[in-house]
Structures are given as C-alpha cells and as structure tokens.
C-alpha cells in the first residue's frame, strides 16, 4: 500500500499523489495490472473479470452519456414491481 496522503492531494505537486482512474478504461488497466488482486482472487477469477471489463469497454465505445444510460438501464425489462 502507498503511504497515506496528509491534506488535500489536489494541492500537492504533480506526481506526488497517485490519482484515481477517471474512466473505466483506466480503472480496468489498473485492475488488470494489479499483482495483489491477481494473487488474492486467483488467476481464473481475475482473468474472467479482466475479460468482462474489456467487453464492457468495447460495448460502450462511442456512446454518449445518454446512450450509455439507455443501453444499461434495466427497469423496462423487468416492468413495474
């Protein structure tokens, strides 16, 4: 684990605090590169989730925010409860 950051990380010099991923592509790349997660989860589960994330990135490529919401909302499928 990296050392704790004291104070507002946005006020620190560039590169001193590791930034969180800003989108699914960056998050998936960090997840795939994590040896800790791979060892903790096991290769089979880790690889399965990496493949799933890659498929989701491919499915969402080129969609605007509204299209993304429409493509993934589930309420109309299950109907009123």
């Amino acid at each position: 684990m990296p050392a704790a950051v004291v104070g507002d990380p946005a006020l620190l010099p560039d590169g001193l605090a590791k930034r969180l991923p800003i989108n699914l592509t960056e998050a998936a790349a960090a997840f795939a590169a994590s040896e800790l997660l791979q060892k903790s989860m096991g290769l089979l589960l880790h690889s399965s989730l990496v493949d799933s994330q890659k498929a989701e990135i491919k499915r969402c490529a080129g969609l605007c925010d509204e299209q993304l919401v429409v493509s993934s909302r589930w309420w109309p499928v299950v109907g009123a409860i």
Side-chain angles (χ1 to χ4, degrees), residues 4-5 14 21 23 28 30 40 42-43 45 50-52 56 59 64 72:
V5 175
D14 287 342
N23 56 42
S40 301
L43 183 59
L45 179 57
V50 168
D51 291 343
S52 177
E56 186 68 5
R59 182 187 75 80
C64 70
S72 59

Side-chain angles (χ1 to χ4, degrees), residues 22-42:
I22 61 169
N23 56 42
L24 181 57
T25 302
E26 286 184 12
F31 180 88
S34 173
E35 290 182 28
L36 175 65
L37 290 174
Q38 184 177 0
K39 287 178 183 176
S40 301
M41 299 172 73

Side-chain angles (χ1 to χ4, degrees), residues 1-20:
M1 296 292 293
V5 175
V6 177
D8 184 352
L11 301 177
L12 296 174
D14 287 342
L16 194 58
K18 185 167 171 118
R19 305 297 294 183
L20 293 174

Side-chain angles (χ1 to χ4, degrees), residues 24-80:
L24 181 57
T25 302
E26 286 184 12
F31 180 88
S34 173
E35 290 182 28
L36 175 65
L37 290 174
Q38 184 177 0
K39 287 178 183 176
S40 301
M41 299 172 73
L43 183 59
L44 185 60
L45 179 57
H46 186 264
S47 297
S48 177
L49 287 172
V50 168
D51 291 343
S52 177
Q53 290 170 342
K54 287 178 181 178
E56 186 68 5
I57 291 167
K58 184 176 179 180
R59 182 187 75 80
C60 298
L63 296 179
C64 70
D65 289 344
E66 184 176 338
Q67 292 169 321
L68 183 58
V69 170
V70 169
S71 75
S72 59
R73 88 175 108 184
W74 57 273
W75 183 254
V77 175
V78 297

